[in-house]
Amino acid sequence: MKILTSMVTAGFLIASANTQALEYRFVATDNSPATRACVSAASDDVSELKKTVNRSFNSNADLMSLTVLCNDQDINAFAHAYGAVETGNYLNRVVPRKMRIDDSVEIIDVSAYVPNVEGGVTIYVAGK
């Protein structure tokens, strides 16, 4: 049992080290309001996300969250997937209850391979 615990602990450390090495750059594939909202959400830019909500979604964040998909994910899940803490917190307050993400629970797949990438990863974002 002690060996298994050590292996699991080592797996968590390796997974943590690899994910911290990644830096994401988000590139919009178009200039639509949905794509701008997605890029702002994943880039952790709360002020730009709020501007997009006010200008393009009639100041209705609930409407935005129900209608916008970012790379085929709802906007809240998309922001959380890339570690956008500030926009994730904002979206958790304004999205419908069924779309909220509980950050107190974290599931880490220790068997997943995460490459150690120097520099960063570019994510092309399309909102619809």
Side-chain angles (χ1 to χ4, degrees), residues 52-61 63:
T52 302
V53 168
N54 291 335
R55 292 178 184 154
S56 303
F57 297 97
N58 299 323
S59 300
N60 189 341
L63 171 66

Side-chain angles (χ1 to χ4, degrees), residues 22-43:
L22 292 177
E23 180 182 315
Y24 297 105
R25 288 182 300 275
F26 300 96
V27 177
T29 58
D30 58 53
N31 197 27
S32 69
T35 299
R36 285 195 310 268
C38 294
V39 170
S40 299
S43 299

